Amino acid sequence: MQIRDLPYPDPGDPDVRSGPRFLIWLGRNQIRGQLKAMSWGLLHQCSIAGLPLGVGFAVQAVVDRSGGRLALAGGLIAVLGALIAVGDTMLHRTAVTNWITAAARIQQLLARKTAELGSALTRRVAAGEVVAVSTGDVEKIGWFVEALSRFVAAAAALVIICVGLVLYLPSLGVLVALAMPVLALGVLPLLPRATRRADFQREKAGKATELASDTVAGLRVLRGIGGEELFLGRYRQASQEVRKAAVRSARMWSLISAVQVLLPGVLLISLVTYGAALARDGKIDVGQLVTVYSAATLLLFPLRHFEEIAMAYSFSRPSAQRAVRVLSLSRVARPSTLDTAPAGDLYDPVTGLMAPEGLFTAVVCGDPDEAGRLADRLGGHAQPEVAKDGAVAGGTADPEVPSVLLGGVPLDELELDAARTAVLVQDKDPVLLSGTLRELLDVPSSGRVTAGEALSAAQCDDVLSALAHASVDSDGDPMNTRITERGRSLSGGQRQRLALARSLVTDPEALVLDEPTSAVDSHTEARVAAGIKALRKERTTVAFASSPLLLDLADRVALVHRGTVVAVGTHRELLLREPRYRAVVTRETDDETLARPGGEEPGGEEPGGKEAVHAIDTHEEIEERA
């Protein structure tokens, strides 16, 4: 794989059992690139190792006053210099290609996982951790993949050179060969501590990244409550902890570097002392001593790769573990047996919630978190198993929890694409991607709803007008206006309506909306609710809400209390006969409920019941005042 061929048609199925296994899988999938880099590395290292031979020949030729052998030695050195240049250039090129392609593979895997899980990803993994994995951790893993081939080439070169020295001059070659394992492995006792410190540093850096991401995301709110200094202080403290951890880690690596300088120095001193004694006694030539000494000196170059691979692995292993934590998450679905999107009633057997086909069903939950979990279930995200310590076990669906049914077909048995076509869930806080408005609304859809119809139903006229005047590059066409990252240039209500328009364009079999009008005023809310109902006529729509304006327009309303549907009817019927519903919708306190005569009775026309109905503005009244 070359850089120009990216992205990968298929990044593959990663081994996510552990961080080291993921690194092995990554290297195995780039075996051709690794072999290329190793080959060029061997050429480069062996050419460098051949220089002492040429220098030794040259020195001995001068001692023997042989011009022919001196010319031959000069030619050998020139050839080796050319091979060093070619090998170094190609090694750098192939190694960097391995780095970039490995990073691209990981980023494609992360992007695929993000698309697979959707909004469920940030509920199961902190957004800051996902950012850390896709940026810094990807670089660390790529570094290890890039350094691996150079390390293998260096190790092979060490073996070749040591064998060559033993054959060339056994008296000194054996000394070098025996010393090489000590030099290469002398730092092993220090590596566990260095690895632990590197892991601690990465953990601190990840937490600081998460804190920074959360602070930036909530900066507008923090400024509103005057809390930005508090959070900035927390980030300063976290960054200082990262600095201290980095300094402790750097001290250990500097000690490893010092050991790798000390041990070769001892070898060279011993080699010179013993070799000089042999040369003085006439047992070896001066040229042979120079050759062996130069070769031993140049052996320090490939030895550096042992330190580098140790550092790369120490930094990449925790990074790979973090990547595995994200990539091991799954849709927690049961094995797929169908690949087509069914149609019919949307039914959740856990809560008993039924959304009849073609009707607008509103769901009222007293607990917003419960509403979010139920919305996830309706979208086909099976409930994951929960461990004894309360942790969620990634990738495994609880077999005791039945799946949501669409037309009698379990959503968990559908292929992911079919499930997404069948049911679309819009979160309470939807995200707008950067790009033009036209690109935002250019999503896979049934084709039955145009962008203009969706924008009109979501009451985006004022948003379009604002976008048209906001950009000088759009030629007055709001569809060409660029939207900034996450729609930060828009108000909360504008972002919510544009996200709603995007969901309406897709026109799924069943559309699940979690608080679709929570960020707009009551007049706009009434028109948006009416637009949704009109556009989604004869299509299944479920809206989690507690606003009387939206509830009054729903064909049927279901009240979910403590994980079970306890009442079903129209908005006005439930106001009259269900005190728990009335308490949620009218924001009635427990004291007010108890103070009302007969307030605890679940049925009948209680005193004050009709007053409660009239105390809430209906959709028609809002429209008249508007």
Side-chain angles (χ1 to χ4, degrees):
M1 170 64 72
Q2 298 297 319
I3 296 176
R4 62 175 176 269
D5 299 325
L6 293 174
Y8 287 96
D10 179 13
D13 259 343
D15 187 343
V16 294
R17 288 176 290 178
S18 67
R21 288 179 181 272
F22 177 70
L23 291 175
I24 293 172
W25 173 87
L26 199 60
R28 191 171 62 244
N29 276 268
Q30 295 188 268
I31 191 66
R32 292 183 61 185
Q34 296 289 348
L35 290 175
K36 285 182 181 179
M38 186 180 70
S39 301
W40 289 116
L42 275 173
L43 175 64
H44 179 232
Q45 299 283 356
C46 292
S47 299
I48 292 177
L51 286 176
L53 185 62
V55 173
F57 282 162
V59 171
Q60 192 61 42
V62 171
V63 171
D64 296 341
R65 299 182 180 277
S66 173
R69 282 189 293 166
L70 181 61
L72 181 62
L76 176 61
I77 293 174
V79 171
L80 290 174
L83 291 177
I84 290 172
V86 172
D88 193 18
T89 301
M90 297 306 298
L91 172 62
H92 178 75
R93 178 170 180 167
T94 53
V96 171
T97 299
N98 288 338
W99 185 336
I100 294 176
T101 52
R105 186 186 295 274
I106 300 171
Q107 287 176 330
Q108 281 188 247
L109 290 171
L110 290 171
R112 186 175 69 181
K113 183 60 62 176
T114 302
E116 175 187 341
L117 294 177
S119 60
L121 175 63
T122 53
R123 292 194 181 98
R124 300 170 66 181
V125 179
E129 183 169 355
V130 178
V131 173
V133 171
S134 60
T135 53
D137 288 332
V138 166
E139 291 187 5
K140 296 293 187 300
I141 296 171
W143 176 28
F144 174 75
V145 172
E146 179 261 344
L148 182 61
S149 55
R150 291 190 288 109
F151 162 72
V152 173
L158 280 177
V159 174
I160 294 173
I161 295 170
C162 288
V163 171
L165 288 178
V166 170
L167 296 177
Y168 175 71
L169 189 62
S171 55
L172 292 180
V174 171
L175 175 62
V176 175
L178 292 177
M180 280 303 110
V182 177
L183 298 182
L185 306 178
V187 297
L188 280 183
L190 300 175
L191 286 181
R193 182 177 296 181
T195 300
R196 287 195 297 271
R197 292 190 179 185
D199 290 351
F200 184 73
Q201 177 194 351
R202 294 298 304 155
E203 180 183 352
K204 289 294 184 181
K207 290 181 179 179
T209 302
E210 292 175 17
L211 181 60
S213 176
D214 293 341
T215 302
V216 171
L219 192 57
R220 181 180 298 180
V221 177
L222 292 176
R223 285 174 175 169
I225 62 176
E228 65 269 24
E229 285 300 325
L230 174 63
F231 275 80
L232 287 175
R234 292 178 181 175
Y235 180 72
R236 290 190 191 98
Q237 180 180 354
S239 64
Q240 287 302 311
E241 292 177 357
V242 174
R243 181 188 62 80
K244 292 177 182 178
V247 169
R248 292 184 71 248
S249 178
R251 285 172 180 169
M252 184 54 63
W253 288 113
S254 64
L255 177 59
I256 291 175
S257 298
V259 171
Q260 290 196 325
V261 171
L262 175 64
L263 293 180
V266 173
L267 170 64
L268 292 178
I269 293 173
S270 303
L271 189 64
V272 169
T273 303
Y274 181 57
L278 293 177
R280 183 189 60 197
D281 296 339
K283 295 180 179 180
I284 63 173
D285 296 331
V286 175
Q288 290 177 319
L289 175 60
V290 171
T291 298
V292 175
Y293 174 78
S294 301
T297 303
L298 291 177
L299 281 175
L300 302 183
F301 180 73
L303 278 174
R304 294 176 185 171
H305 292 285
F306 283 78
E307 177 191 356
E308 182 187 9
I309 196 64
M311 291 184 65
Y313 180 73
S314 297
F315 282 100
S316 65
R317 188 178 62 82
S319 295
Q321 195 60 47
R322 290 159 65 97
V324 162
R325 280 203 297 270
V326 177
L327 296 176
S328 62
L329 299 175
S330 71
R331 187 168 162 257
V332 290
R334 297 167 177 82
S336 302
T337 57
L338 300 174
D339 57 2
T340 57
D345 299 339
L346 186 64
Y347 175 66
D348 177 26
V350 175
T351 60
L353 176 63
M354 168 69 78
E357 182 181 11
L359 296 184
F360 183 12
T361 302
V363 182
V364 176
C365 293
D367 182 4
D369 293 334
E370 183 180 17
R373 290 191 295 269
L374 180 53
D376 279 345
R377 278 189 50 74
L378 293 178
H381 296 283
Q383 295 297 320
E385 290 182 353
V386 179
K388 293 181 180 179
D389 60 355
V392 175
T396 307
D398 188 347
E400 300 300 324
V401 179
S403 170
V404 170
L405 307 177
L406 180 62
V409 178
L411 285 182
D412 290 347
E413 295 183 2
L414 293 176
E415 292 288 349
L416 181 61
D417 291 343
R420 291 292 171 266
T421 303
V423 183
L424 174 66
V425 179
Q426 176 175 302
D427 283 342
K428 184 183 302 182
D429 185 21
V431 174
L432 300 183
L433 303 178
S434 60
T436 66
L437 181 57
R438 192 183 310 279
E439 293 170 341
L440 175 70
L441 299 178
D442 184 17
V443 293
S445 65
S446 66
R448 287 188 289 261
V449 178
T450 65
E453 292 171 339
L455 290 168
S456 178
Q459 302 299 312
C460 294
D461 293 342
D462 61 320
V463 184
L464 296 177
S465 178
L467 290 176
H469 290 87
S471 176
V472 295
D473 300 328
S474 61
D475 298 326
D477 186 357
M479 300 298 290
N480 295 329
T481 302
R482 292 195 63 81
I483 298 174
T484 57
E485 180 187 4
R486 299 179 67 90
R488 298 188 189 281
S489 59
L490 304 173
S491 67
Q494 290 174 330
R495 286 197 302 271
Q496 192 175 58
R497 282 178 284 162
L498 286 180
L500 175 60
R502 179 179 59 189
S503 299
L504 293 174
V505 165
T506 62
D507 190 38
E509 292 291 335
L511 177 61
V512 180
L513 305 171
D514 190 0
E515 294 288 354
T517 58
S518 59
V520 299
D521 60 80
S522 57
H523 297 283
T524 305
E525 182 179 28
R527 294 195 295 270
V528 170
I532 295 174
K533 183 174 182 179
L535 189 64
R536 295 284 300 173
K537 187 177 181 180
E538 299 181 355
R539 306 287 277 174
T540 306
T541 307
V542 181
F544 288 82
S546 59
S547 167
L549 296 172
L550 189 148
L551 298 173
D552 193 43
L553 280 172
D555 297 317
R556 65 199 306 270
V557 181
L559 172 64
V560 177
H561 181 68
R562 295 181 179 177
T564 305
V565 175
V566 295
V568 178
T570 65
H571 168 60
R572 301 181 184 226
E573 290 172 352
L574 293 178
L575 277 176
L576 289 173
R577 63 181 174 84
E578 181 52 62
R580 288 172 294 190
Y581 178 83
R582 185 168 55 248
V584 175
V585 173
T586 64
R587 277 66 169 178
E588 190 177 65
T589 64
D590 294 338
D591 293 339
E592 292 172 336
T593 302
L594 293 174
R596 180 184 296 111
E600 288 297 306
E601 295 298 325
E605 282 195 15
E606 304 146 0
K610 291 185 178 180
E611 294 176 1
V613 175
H614 293 298
I616 301 174
D617 291 337
T618 64
H619 165 69
E620 290 82 359
E621 292 169 344
I622 289 291
E623 286 294 319
E624 289 175 2
R625 288 205 301 272

